[in-house]
Every structure is written in structure tokens, then in C-alpha cells.
Amino acid sequence: MKNKILVTGGAGYIGTHTCIALHEAGYDIVIYDNLSNSSCAAIKRVSTLIGQPLEFIEGDIRDAETLRQAFVDHQFFGVIHFSGLKAVGESVTKPLLYYNNNVSGTITLLEVMRQYNVKNLIFSSSATVYGDPKFLPIDESSSRSCTNPYGQSKLIVEYILEDLALSDDSWNLIALRYFNPVGAHPSGQIGEDPNDIPNNLMPYISQVAVGKLEKLSIFGNDYPTVDGTGVRDFIHVTDLAQGHVAALNYLQQQVDLQRSNSKRSSSKSSSVGFLPINLGTGKGTSVLELVSAFSSISGQAIPYQFTSRRVGDIASCYASSDKAKNVLGWEAKLSITEMCQDTWRWQSINPTGYD
Ligand code: NAD
Ligand code: UFG
């Protein structure tokens, strides 16, 4: 029997791409989303791409009753937990909303999981938990600190997961720390569809390229980097999606091992506990390098101006991807070229997103 996975936030940008990868890897999926930052159109497109209808529950993770009903109706092996609010600037003006949604929502989800004895979880964490890194590439043992409520909400959930694993060794909890997800499905049918003017670099560039926005502002050209602009570890969203499949396969192997060990001996084998893993490529690309790659791949001019640094930004951030390779057997395959090609395909076919 195929293992069934509850995908919270499965209608969103990373969730939709991961649902396709999970389906291709043989998992059954149930999407749970309140559609606060996504739409039914995205779910329909995923259904079309996989050639079958998707199970979708419209619900909020803070609504314990609706969540419980999902666990009554389905026997889940585990949960991939994408749902959350993610706009750094908005989190500064609406901290209670962010803590309520991202932290309280996760606590409600964990309580319901415990009630139904589903103790396998993959959580969407972020490289933001590393703050301004002391060394590069950033490995998972780097110190953690955050300066905005969004980042704090990710860090607090990590602490909660650590405490939960310490309190009860039957939990298997993986926190995947994403670096900078970009790109779109190669079909051009699903991709990132920001509600408003994009906060992030890649969707901003692609909206300039398609003529929706006039000009990119590059936040600072005086960083100690290759060309003075910020350096990030951009990772293709389909590689990221495969990282979730690898994490889930790993959880499944570990659970199988725990079961067979407990049958063979009276001693319990150890659970995964809390396991943080970076998902990045290990390579840094500057803002100007990305602008130039996108412009030559799309054949569009990307007008830009330099403005002052954005508050809270760091100079450089890229991952050590050794742990993902060693533990999960996963590494990113796609280059900046594919990231730009696929973003451009999505943006040019769907200039107004899913509308
Ligand atoms: P997204 O906004 O596209 O997807 C999140 C989904 O969660 C949306 O469909 C939204 O409607 C849903 N949602 C939000 N609050 C909910 C709630 N209370 N109950 C049910 N559903 C709810 O975002 P994304 O880019 O796909 O990000 C997915 C996860 O990855 C988020 O937790 C985000 O913080 C994290 N992350 C994203 C990035 C990035 O750059 N995209 C980087 C690091 C971490
Ligand atoms: N940038 C610009 N102009 C823009 C947008 C961004 O110059 O209009 C620059 C930024 O200054 C930075 C780089 O592009 O140097 C990347 O910025 P993004 O906003 O795309 O990404 P961040 O690295 O700031 O943050 C993103 C997500 C966070 C997440 C983090 C994980 O927004 O939620 O990656 O590393 F936590």
C-alpha cells in the first residue's frame, strides 16, 4: 500500500511542486490549505499535470477540529508542513499574525498528530535561522539567530521540535532549511505567483522582464562580494521538491528499521529525533550575476538601479550541502540557467500568474 502524506500548504509555491514529485515517487497525497496565499487554480493545474484528481481539504492549521477530521478520514504516514506566512516585511508590522499562524498553527498541528499517533514530520524551515553567518558555507551546526518575526517564528518552531523530540523519542522530525528557492515546473504550468509586488529577487526580475514592473532596484552595491551585490544560494524549486521526497524516503526507512528492531529485540532502536538539514546547492550567485543570466536567457532587457541596502539583509549566504548528500543521498542538480529558463517559461506563459 502506498503511504499517505498530509501536505499542509500544498497549494502554495513549494507545495505544488512537491506534490508532483511525491506523486511521481509513489506517495498518496492529501493537500490541506486555507488558500490564504494560493488558489484552487494551482491545485487544478497540479491535477492536470499528474493526470488525476487531488484530495484537497480547505482548512486552517489553527482549526483543530478540521485537522482532526482529516486524521479520522485518512491514515497518514506523516505530514509535510509547508503552511505558513512568509513575508519578512509584513511580519515586522504584523508580528502577532505571524506568531499565531506559524507558531500556534504548528503547535495545533503537532497536538493533533500526537492524538492520532502520526509522529513523522517534515517542516519547512529556512536559512534565515542562521541570521548573519559567521562562516561560509553554512553548515547545520552554525549558530542560529533571527532579527525579524518571520525568522523568529521558524526558529521558535525548530526549538519546539527539538524539545518535543527530547520529551518523547517516538517522534521523527526533520527540519529542512531552504536557501533561496526559485524556478518553476518545466511545463510552465505552475510557478511562483506573488499576491502583490514581489519582495524576492527572482519574481521581481521576471516581472520586469515581462513588462509588469518597470525597473529592478538592487539593494546595495557595496557589499564585500564579487561585484558588491548580495550573494545567495538559489535552488531550483524542483530540486527542492526532490529533497522532500528524499527526506520522506529516509523517514520511511528509519521507521521500518525501528519497527523491525523492536520486533527482534526488547530494546528500542533510536528514532530520528530532531534532524535539521540544509537544502541548497552550495554555490553562491550575486544579484548582478542573476540579472545578467536572466536577461540573456529571456532575451529581455532588465533595467535596474542601485539603491541603498535593505534593512536586515546580509552580504552572502550559501549552504554546505554535505549533510543532505550524506544523510538523504540528495543533491541539487539544476543550474542557474535552468532556474532562469523555467522561471521565464512560467512568467511568459502566465504573465498574470494563475488569474
Ligand atoms: P506559499 O505562501 O506559496 O505557500 C504556503 C501555503 O500555506 C499557501 O498555500 C497558504 O495558503 C498556506 N497557508 C498559510 N497559512 C496557513 C494556515 N494557517 N493554514 C493552512 N494553510 C495555510 O509559500 P512557499 O514559498 O511555498 O513556502 C512554503 C514554506 O516554506 C513556508 O513555510 C515558508 O515559510 C517556507 N520557506 C519558503 C522560502 C521561500 O523563499 N519561498 C524560503 C524558506 C522557507
Ligand atoms: N534584492 C534586490 N532587489 C529586490 C529584491 C531582492 O536587490 O527587489 C536582493 C536582496 O538585497 C538580496 C538578494 O536580492 O541580496 C536576495 O533577496 P531575496 O529577497 O530574494 O531573498 P533573501 O535572501 O533576502 O530571503 C529569502 C526569503 C526568506 C528566506 C531566505 C532564506 O525571502 O524568507 O531567503 O535564505 F528566509
Side-chain angles (χ1 to χ4, degrees):
M1 198 185 73
K2 284 185 191 173
N3 269 333
K4 203 178 252 192
I5 310 299
L6 181 70
V7 185
T8 76
Y13 171 47
I14 303 171
T16 45
H17 291 83
T18 304
C19 284
I20 293 177
L22 291 171
H23 170 80
E24 286 168 351
Y27 288 97
D28 268 346
I29 43 189
V30 176
I31 294 179
Y32 188 98
D33 200 302
N34 67 359
L35 303 180
S36 59
N37 197 33
S38 52
S39 64
C40 284
I43 299 175
K44 282 199 190 110
R45 295 221 187 158
V46 174
S47 288
T48 306
L49 285 169
I50 67 172
Q52 64 180 64
L54 273 165
E55 282 209 62
F56 169 53
I57 301 166
E58 186 169 348
D60 194 296
I61 50 162
R62 293 163 294 181
D63 173 2
E65 261 324 298
T66 307
L67 263 183
R68 276 193 206 104
Q69 194 57 49
F71 282 78
V72 168
D73 293 343
H74 302 275
Q75 260 211 319
F76 294 118
F77 166 77
V79 177
I80 302 188
H81 176 31
F82 291 111
S83 64
L85 298 174
K86 61 168 184 176
V88 174
E90 185 186 49
S91 79
V92 176
T93 55
K94 297 177 182 167
L96 293 179
L97 175 68
Y98 272 67
Y99 289 122
N100 184 267
N101 200 80
N102 295 3
V103 180
S104 302
T106 302
I107 292 173
T108 303
L109 172 67
L110 291 166
E111 282 170 345
V112 173
M113 288 176 69
R114 185 179 54 187
Q115 188 181 347
Y116 290 91
N117 201 30
V118 175
K119 293 186 167 177
N120 306 312
L121 175 86
I122 296 173
F123 168 63
S124 296
S125 189
S126 167
T128 197
V129 301
Y130 295 119
D132 196 352
K134 293 194 180 60
F135 57 84
L136 293 165
I138 306 171
D139 71 33
E140 288 80 355
S141 65
S142 301
S143 59
R144 290 172 290 171
S145 70
C146 288
T147 52
N148 60 72
Y150 166 72
Q152 296 276 29
S153 75
K154 292 291 172 191
L155 192 47
I156 292 169
V157 170
E158 285 205 1
Y159 289 141
I160 291 171
L161 298 180
E162 279 179 84
D163 287 339
L164 188 60
L166 285 174
S167 73
D168 171 355
D169 68 2
S170 57
W171 285 93
N172 300 297
L173 306 165
I174 297 184
L176 295 177
R177 295 176 179 155
Y178 313 151
F179 279 67
N180 289 61
V182 296
H185 191 264
S187 64
Q189 291 305 304
I190 57 168
E192 190 169 9
D193 183 17
N195 264 341
D196 220 333
I197 294 180
N199 299 307
N200 297 118
L201 181 62
M202 187 63 122
Y204 205 108
I205 293 176
S206 65
Q207 292 198 11
V208 171
V210 85
K212 268 180 89 178
L213 295 169
E214 195 194 337
K215 187 191 279 186
L216 170 73
S217 292
I218 296 184
F219 303 140
N221 61 349
D222 56 353
Y223 285 108
T225 60
V226 58
D227 53 25
T229 64
V231 165
R232 295 291 183 276
D233 185 340
F234 299 99
I235 173 167
H236 198 296
V237 66
T238 61
D239 271 336
L240 199 73
Q242 291 302 335
H244 290 76
V245 173
L248 203 50
N249 290 342
Y250 176 78
L251 280 185
Q252 180 146 25
Q253 281 163 16
Q254 296 303 308
V255 169
D256 289 346
L257 205 64
Q258 287 157 24
R259 284 191 188 136
S260 70
N261 281 352
S262 69
K263 269 188 204 148
R264 268 188 287 144
S265 70
S266 53
S267 65
K268 271 175 86 179
S269 71
S270 62
S271 66
V272 170
F274 173 73
L275 180 65
I277 298 186
N278 288 342
L279 292 186
T281 64
K283 293 183 205 88
T285 302
S286 77
V287 174
L288 273 179
E289 286 168 341
L290 190 67
V291 170
S292 153
F294 198 95
S295 178
S296 68
I297 285 159
S298 63
Q300 307 296 312
I302 316 282
Y304 62 81
Q305 62 185 357
F306 291 115
T307 61
S308 49
R309 292 180 179 193
R310 185 170 64 179
V311 176
D313 270 358
I314 54 174
S316 298
C317 172
Y318 51 92
S320 159
S321 40
D322 292 350
K323 191 169 173 188
K325 194 173 175 185
N326 295 335
V327 177
L328 305 181
W330 169 91
E331 60 186 325
K333 293 193 175 77
L334 301 173
S335 68
I336 289 288
T337 302
E338 282 115 350
M339 299 180 212
C340 294
Q341 279 169 341
D342 292 336
T343 303
W344 180 235
R345 189 176 303 108
W346 155 253
Q347 184 71 74
S348 47
I349 298 176
N350 309 273
T352 55
Y354 288 111
D355 285 345

